[in-house]
Amino acid sequence: MQKLITIAALLCISISFGQSKNFKISGQIFADLDKMPLEAATVYIERVKDSSLVTYTISEKDGSFNLEDATSEDSLNLLVSYVGYKSFKQKIAIDKAVIVIPKINLQISNALDEVLIKSSAPITIKKDTLEFNVSSFKTKKDATVEDLLKQLPGVEIDEEGKIKVNGKEVNKILVNGKPFFGNDPSITIKNLTKEIVEKIQVVDTKTKSEAFTGEEGDKENKTINLTIKEENNKGVFGRVAAGVGTDKRYEFAGMFNRFDNDQRISVLVGGNNINSPGFSFGEIEKMFGNGGSTWFSSNGSFSVNGRQFGGGQGITTSNLAGANYADAIGEKTEVAADYFFSNSNSENETASQRETILSDSRFFSNSNSSSSNDTRSHTINSDFEIKIDTTLMINIKPTFTTSNSTTDFKSQDETLNEDQNLTNQSVLNSFVENNIKNLSNEISATKKFGNKGAFLRFGLDNSFNTNESEDFINSNTEIFGTNPETINRNQLTDGDNKSNNFQTDISYRLPIKDKELFINFDYEYQRNKDENIQSTFDFNTVSNDYDIFNESLSTDFEYTDIRSTPGISLSYRKEKWSARFGADYVFRTLKNQDGLRPQFNVERDFKAIELNSNFNYRFNKKASIYASYRLTNNPPSLRQLQAFEDVSNPLNTVIGNPNLEPTNEHRIYLGFNAYNWQERTGFYMYANITKRQNAVVSRTTIDPETLKRITTYDNVDGNQNGYFGVDYSKRFKIDSLQSLRIKIGNWSNFSKNINYNNDVLYASNVLSTTPNIGIDYVYTSVFEFKPRYRLSFTNNRYDIEAFEDRNFTSHNLVLNTAFFLPKGFEWRNDITYNYNPNIADGFQKDAWFWNASVSYSVLKDKGLLTLKVYDLLNQNTNARRIATQDYIQDTQSTVLRQYFMLNFSWKFNSLGAKGETSGNGHYYID
């Protein structure tokens, strides 16, 4: 049977190739009025019979374009689209291999023009917006927005789910310009389906106030806005799924959405014990979540948009429920709100071996621990946007969060000297309960003046946080040597921490030249007050209670941080470039009052200049460069300043240094991105370097016999770190069905750390580079093959002879395949191989990790039945090596093991005409 299917597929391919003929269409586009060439006009080819897209491109700076493809059609429609001009359409006979189109002159459009041609360009490049027409890009059946994004030119989604557009990270996703579940990209792209979306718009990330005033946004990050089809703005849609598996594994998820024009209501629920966030619907890339898709992953807790699921590494059981509401109240007010409830339990066991390198010796530590964490949390977010008129806007964003967690932790540790003699050992049992509450609010008001770009903005932010805790500790520490010591602790620590943060700012922009040159005057006042009370009580064997107050392990701090910052900046903006330079003068007071030890009270005043500047230049509509420089001043933390002796760890006494100076941090960033629409090539480069003056570092002295440590802090000069990355990608269209994409890149980072090792000052230099290559081969509706290979080199060098220079190497290979079989079957594989020869003996050095799934569409593609296997070869591990300037550590912890699961998902949709799933038969566009 398999041979028959193969022969039939090859026969269909040969017939398809035999009927197809290659063509190349070229031409040039001008404005009819002034005969100037039009750059970045969208030129595309459609089939005459069904208007399905064949191929497209973007015109060059001189207005020229080239289109190459293959077709079996005798004629095709050529269309040209450019913002502000009437569309152009011409039927072209495909009667020769090379076709030259006479000069195309586009006429200016106006609001009174009758729309004669109803066709939508696959891509439109406006001044600050890149827009994709969704119907032009074909995806697999049952596709989500995430599946769609992976097909768009210039869009990348990595293994961790991070989205990049033309090399810049996407940090916000909106639906019809409004947040969807708190701007959480993962919920939006994994659960909204392609069929309801009409356009995808990409812009620089802006705050609402920046968008209102027309200011430039964040040049380093992008926002994606999903515009819903007009006919899909009314109705209900959603999905439900459930799965059961071996080893008592399970999952369930459901999402309901109701759209009624401006009003949007969404509800989701989910739960599982397979380390997944709890609201995905059966696709292999999503269902396996954080559960081991990469060898060195933590396989444990995860967070979504700041909400934590689980409390550590290991295996997590989680449940989630949430609701989202968005609506327009009248013509002036828009409201959005969401609520989340989550609870999770994480179980983990960890084993580690560490070699610590001293200036004159070294020692070794072995640790085994187990933990169990339970967390329950509630979060409410809301966002009110009130436009009083066209010149005044007010935003109010209150948030409330509460969480309760318990952690049961057990550990056994031992330390050995260079001769492998035991110097100390400890056993710890701890049970901690935390109750956290947070209430915060952000208010901003923006008033525009005239039409030259002047505005006044006022902001007020405040937050109140409380953390009440109980920590039961039972520990035994034994220190060996000539003066042996045994420390037993059976204690309860009551924690009562409060913080009250207040910030207000005001900004006025004065236009010097209309909409081009501006002076900004800014002032910010910030006051943060923290109260930290830790009351420790020893166990009383007489009263059988914890009632003996232990002052040496207790604290009563009141910490105040007051910052006052006037500033001024100059900004200039032209069509192709923009620049900004600003300076702030910081007045800062740090004050700490110790209720138990008033002799350690601290009050320090700091004054500093802070600078910020950026420059952006757009070579054309396909390439740009961005550079920025920032100087910031960071004072030491409270614990680093306070001379109080912290003896909570019997093996490490920590003492602050009240004479520390603030750290000046210089940061330079450079980014270049280019995407050639004609060649389907992308080139992205980014680099960053950060230098620190008066960096605060730990200074530890170690007793050579007992290996007990005394740690304080000091300032050093010369610390720096940075990174450099380059990525290149190119798509090749083999024919109308097959495409190949090659991705080559390299990520490098370096650091120079000036530090102390047993009171000896030294420098460590770390250089790490990771070249990588990936290939995407797609045979539309038949087969996908996507291999990736990554090689990592790390070199550690030291300037003292006691430290040996070290080199580390690791290999990572990923193979993703998909087979689209007849009658609605899909077979997908996700295979990872990792090899790290430097892992210590006793830890697994290499492993194959293979996930696979077979799915079958039922109920007219509304239902999906999936059989999946996690860790098919049963080799999952997360052994990893960490190398720092003074230690090397190997760690291995609990991972999710092999299981098989049968999953069923069903989607429903009443949006649009009869709720039918869209399906236009378009080919993949590359």
Side-chain angles (χ1 to χ4, degrees):
M1 181 64 182
Q2 185 178 2
K3 291 182 178 179
L4 289 175
I5 294 174
T6 304
I7 293 172
L10 292 173
L11 182 61
C12 292
I13 294 169
S14 64
I15 293 173
S16 174
F17 286 171
Q19 294 178 341
S20 295
K21 47 191 173 183
N22 296 320
F23 66 84
K24 179 179 180 180
I25 302 174
S26 61
Q28 202 169 9
I29 305 167
F30 296 88
D32 184 61
L33 185 63
D34 56 12
K35 306 304 179 184
M36 294 296 292
L38 294 178
E39 179 189 5
T42 306
V43 188
Y44 54 110
I45 298 286
E46 289 183 347
R47 289 178 177 81
V48 176
K49 60 183 178 181
D50 59 6
S51 296
S52 60
L53 188 65
V54 176
T55 188
Y56 70 93
T57 190
I58 301 295
S59 63
E60 297 287 353
K61 188 175 182 179
D62 61 356
S64 64
F65 66 88
N66 289 286
L67 291 163
E68 294 185 57
D69 212 300
T71 184
S72 58
E73 305 288 328
D74 294 328
S75 59
L76 297 169
N77 284 330
L78 171 70
L79 299 98
V80 180
S81 175
Y82 193 84
V83 176
Y85 289 79
K86 295 179 181 179
S87 296
F88 171 87
K89 183 177 181 179
Q90 179 180 336
K91 188 175 181 180
I92 299 174
I94 310 299
D95 52 6
K96 50 187 175 181
V98 178
I99 303 171
V100 179
I101 304 298
K103 184 185 297 184
I104 299 174
N105 294 310
L106 297 187
Q107 298 180 351
I108 294 178
S109 176
N110 59 68
L112 299 178
D113 287 332
E114 182 181 0
V115 180
L116 300 177
I117 303 174
K118 290 189 176 181
S119 62
S120 185
I123 291 178
T124 302
I125 300 178
K126 302 177 183 178
K127 182 179 180 181
D128 298 317
T129 305
L130 175 63
E131 185 175 271
F132 297 97
N133 175 32
V134 170
S135 64
S136 299
F137 300 90
K138 187 178 184 296
T139 58
K140 66 177 184 178
K141 60 179 178 290
D142 200 36
T144 63
V145 171
E146 181 179 30
D147 300 318
L148 170 63
L149 291 175
K150 291 178 179 179
Q151 303 303 324
L152 302 182
V155 179
E156 300 277 353
I157 301 180
D158 65 15
E159 294 87 350
E160 298 177 355
K162 292 182 179 178
I163 309 169
K164 288 187 176 181
V165 178
N166 292 339
K168 297 185 178 181
E169 187 170 332
V170 174
N171 62 353
K172 185 186 294 185
I173 292 187
L174 305 175
V175 177
N176 279 351
K178 300 177 183 178
F180 189 71
F181 280 106
N183 297 332
D184 186 342
S186 63
I187 295 180
T188 306
I189 68 173
K190 290 179 184 294
N191 295 285
L192 292 185
T193 56
K194 169 198 172 184
E195 62 194 15
I196 71 168
V197 181
E198 182 176 28
K199 304 280 187 183
I200 292 181
Q201 299 167 333
V202 182
V203 297
D204 291 337
T205 295
K206 294 184 178 183
T207 65
K208 289 188 175 182
S209 179
E210 288 172 338
F212 183 66
T213 59
E215 295 174 87
E216 288 194 318
D218 180 358
K219 295 294 183 180
E220 297 183 45
N221 294 283
K222 292 290 186 179
T223 292
I224 288 179
N225 180 47
L226 309 175
T227 63
I228 305 300
K229 297 176 183 177
E230 185 176 350
E231 66 271 20
N232 286 342
N233 259 333
K234 195 175 184 67
V236 299
F237 69 97
R239 308 172 95 183
V240 291
V244 293
T246 58
D247 199 23
K248 298 182 180 180
R249 299 298 167 200
Y250 71 88
E251 64 181 351
F252 64 90
M255 190 176 196
F256 171 85
N257 304 274
R258 180 182 180 274
F259 284 10
D260 187 0
N261 296 319
D262 289 328
Q263 187 183 84
R264 236 180 27 228
I265 300 173
S266 299
V267 178
L268 63 81
V269 294
N272 66 83
N273 60 358
I274 57 172
N275 289 355
S276 183
F279 42 82
S280 53
F281 291 95
E283 294 83 349
I284 184 172
E285 301 92 342
K286 304 163 192 173
M287 295 310 300
F288 294 127
N290 288 6
S293 60
T294 57
W295 189 32
F296 298 100
S297 66
S298 63
N299 291 297
S301 67
F302 41 85
S303 62
V304 177
N305 201 35
R307 293 179 288 275
Q308 188 72 20
F309 298 84
Q313 298 177 339
I315 298 176
T316 298
T317 300
S318 63
N319 294 286
L320 168 74
N324 176 268
Y325 174 79
D327 199 0
I329 303 175
E331 297 182 356
K332 297 183 178 181
T333 304
E334 292 187 357
V335 59
D338 61 67
Y339 164 77
F340 275 94
F341 164 77
S342 67
N343 77 279
S344 62
N345 171 265
S346 296
E347 305 282 346
N348 184 53
E349 294 184 358
T350 301
S352 67
Q353 297 177 355
R354 174 185 289 194
E355 177 185 358
T356 302
I357 307 163
L358 304 180
S359 58
D360 55 358
S361 63
R362 61 190 62 205
F363 65 89
F364 303 88
S365 304
N366 300 316
S367 176
N368 290 279
S369 65
S370 63
S371 64
S372 175
N373 172 272
D374 288 287
T375 302
R376 298 167 63 90
S377 67
H378 302 265
T379 302
I380 301 174
N381 301 297
S382 55
D383 188 344
F384 299 87
E385 179 184 304
I386 306 168
K387 291 184 178 179
I388 305 300
D389 53 41
T390 58
T391 66
L392 177 60
M393 182 180 72
I394 299 173
N395 286 102
I396 305 173
K397 296 178 64 175
T399 298
F400 176 73
T401 301
T402 178
S403 68
N404 172 267
S405 67
T406 59
T407 301
D408 191 357
F409 180 80
K410 298 178 176 62
S411 68
Q412 293 181 323
D413 301 89
E414 63 178 15
T415 306
L416 301 93
N417 62 19
E418 196 167 20
D419 297 324
Q420 295 293 313
N421 295 320
L422 188 64
T423 59
N424 61 66
Q425 63 182 17
S426 62
V427 177
L428 171 67
N429 292 288
S430 171
F431 181 82
V432 183
E433 181 174 1
N434 282 285
N435 291 285
I436 301 173
K437 295 180 180 179
N438 170 269
L439 176 64
S440 62
N441 190 31
E442 299 177 15
I443 301 174
S444 69
T446 307
K447 172 68 176 179
K448 295 189 292 186
F449 300 98
N451 58 3
K452 298 181 180 180
F455 67 81
L456 177 68
R457 177 166 51 229
F458 172 78
L460 178 64
D461 301 343
N462 64 290
S463 65
F464 304 93
N465 306 280
T466 63
N467 183 358
E468 298 177 350
S469 63
E470 285 188 343
D471 185 356
F472 293 88
I473 295 177
N474 194 327
S475 67
N476 172 268
T477 303
E478 294 180 272
I479 301 170
F480 306 106
T482 55
N483 296 305
E485 181 182 7
T486 300
I487 303 172
N488 291 309
R489 290 181 176 176
N490 185 4
Q491 299 168 332
L492 164 65
T493 299
D494 277 327
D496 186 7
N497 300 325
K498 299 177 182 177
S499 66
N500 183 352
N501 303 320
F502 173 84
Q503 176 181 320
T504 183
D505 59 85
I506 187 168
S507 176
Y508 176 71
R509 185 169 75 172
L510 175 67
I512 305 302
K513 185 178 181 181
D514 292 4
K515 300 181 180 180
E516 288 188 7
L517 181 62
F518 305 94
I519 295 180
N520 291 270
F521 301 93
D522 305 286
Y523 176 76
E524 179 184 289
Y525 174 81
Q526 182 176 329
R527 184 180 188 275
N528 299 330
K529 181 180 179 182
D530 296 322
E531 298 179 16
N532 182 303
I533 300 176
Q534 302 286 328
S535 302
T536 300
F537 299 90
D538 293 325
F539 185 75
N540 189 335
T541 55
V542 177
S543 63
N544 203 33
D545 198 3
Y546 296 93
D547 56 16
I548 303 175
F549 183 67
N550 189 324
E551 183 174 333
S552 64
L553 294 177
S554 300
T555 59
D556 185 359
F557 300 142
E558 184 177 288
Y559 179 47
T560 306
D561 179 1
I562 300 175
R563 176 182 168 115
S564 179
T565 311
I568 187 171
S569 64
L570 182 69
S571 58
Y572 190 71
R573 182 168 61 184
K574 296 290 288 184
E575 182 180 357
K576 283 201 166 188
W577 65 277
S578 62
R580 182 182 184 275
F581 177 80
D584 301 327
Y585 196 80
V586 181
F587 301 88
R588 194 164 198 164
T589 299
L590 300 180
K591 184 178 181 181
N592 180 70
Q593 293 181 307
D594 191 327
L596 296 177
R597 307 166 191 85
Q599 68 273 23
F600 294 128
N601 288 351
V602 176
E603 183 170 351
R604 294 283 303 276
D605 292 320
F606 302 97
K607 298 177 182 179
I609 293 177
E610 294 188 335
L611 305 174
N612 59 86
S613 60
N614 60 67
F615 174 78
N616 183 72
Y617 182 78
R618 185 162 53 89
F619 299 97
N620 48 53
K621 293 194 175 183
K622 298 176 292 185
S624 64
I625 190 170
Y626 175 77
S628 67
Y629 166 76
R630 182 177 292 273
L631 167 63
T632 56
N633 182 267
N634 303 309
S637 68
L638 160 67
R639 289 301 177 92
Q640 292 171 336
L641 282 171
Q642 195 174 35
F644 153 69
E645 290 191 7
D646 181 355
V647 294
S648 57
N649 183 347
L651 298 177
N652 185 22
T653 299
V654 180
I655 306 172
N657 179 1
N659 298 314
L660 290 174
E661 295 296 325
T663 300
N664 282 325
E665 184 175 280
H666 303 262
R667 178 182 181 268
I668 299 174
Y669 177 84
L670 177 67
F672 172 80
N673 67 292
Y675 191 86
N676 189 315
W677 303 95
Q678 297 262 16
E679 303 293 333
R680 302 293 196 269
T681 59
F683 179 77
Y684 319 114
M685 183 181 69
Y686 40 93
N688 175 81
I689 184 170
T690 302
K691 290 193 171 186
R692 297 176 181 86
Q693 297 172 311
N694 285 327
V696 178
V697 300
S698 299
R699 185 170 184 170
T700 300
T701 304
I702 301 176
D703 187 296
E705 182 180 13
T706 64
L707 299 180
K708 290 179 64 175
R709 307 182 300 279
I710 298 177
T711 300
T712 186
Y713 303 96
D714 207 345
N715 289 111
V716 297
D717 283 329
N719 280 13
Q720 59 184 7
N721 65 278
Y723 60 82
F724 170 77
V726 60
D727 293 293
Y728 174 80
S729 65
K730 181 172 177 60
R731 288 182 183 267
F732 301 89
K733 192 162 187 178
I734 301 172
D735 53 47
S736 59
L737 295 176
Q738 297 181 87
S739 66
L740 185 69
R741 182 184 189 190
I742 298 176
K743 294 185 287 184
I744 302 173
N746 182 76
W747 166 265
S748 299
N749 59 76
F750 71 92
S751 65
K752 180 181 180 181
N753 293 296
I754 309 298
N755 219 318
Y756 287 94
N757 182 279
N758 211 17
D759 258 351
V760 175
L761 190 67
Y762 73 99
S764 66
N765 292 274
V766 180
L767 175 63
S768 176
T769 184
T770 306
N772 59 86
I773 184 171
I775 298 173
D776 292 353
Y777 171 75
V778 176
Y779 196 125
T780 306
S781 301
V782 177
F783 175 64
E784 293 179 3
F785 179 63
K786 299 179 180 180
R788 306 276 189 276
Y789 175 68
R790 182 171 62 229
L791 177 63
S792 296
F793 302 96
T794 302
N795 173 256
N796 292 19
R797 294 184 294 109
Y798 307 93
D799 66 352
I800 57 176
E801 293 183 1
F803 288 9
E804 179 183 352
D805 294 348
R806 294 177 179 267
N807 297 306
F808 303 97
T809 305
S810 65
H811 305 261
N812 173 258
L813 174 66
V814 177
L815 299 173
N816 293 315
T817 66
F819 298 85
F820 305 99
L821 306 175
K823 297 187 177 180
F825 280 98
E826 288 186 15
W827 175 29
R828 292 180 174 267
N829 297 276
D830 180 2
I831 304 170
T832 301
Y833 174 73
N834 292 277
Y835 175 59
N836 189 339
N838 309 114
I839 291 289
D841 294 337
F843 291 86
Q844 190 170 342
K845 296 179 183 292
D846 73 329
W848 286 93
F849 186 71
W850 186 353
N851 296 327
S853 73
V854 176
S855 61
Y856 177 60
S857 295
V858 296
L859 305 177
K860 298 181 180 179
D861 289 341
K862 299 290 185 180
L864 188 68
L865 188 66
T866 304
L867 174 65
K868 63 183 181 181
V869 56
Y870 177 88
D871 191 14
L872 182 63
L873 302 179
N874 202 23
Q875 292 189 16
N876 189 22
T877 180
N878 66 345
R880 55 176 139 177
R881 167 159 287 198
I882 300 172
T884 69
Q885 59 265 27
D886 60 358
Y887 74 82
I888 301 170
Q889 179 172 290
D890 296 305
T891 305
Q892 189 164 317
S893 60
T894 302
V895 293
L896 189 63
R897 305 300 298 188
Q898 182 189 78
Y899 67 85
F900 294 78
M901 180 173 286
L902 183 65
N903 178 282
F904 176 75
S905 66
W906 174 71
K907 68 174 182 177
F908 53 91
N909 184 0
S910 70
L911 298 175
K914 301 180 182 180
E916 294 178 354
T917 302
S918 62
N920 52 26
H922 291 170
Y923 290 122
Y924 277 108
I925 301 301
D926 299 293

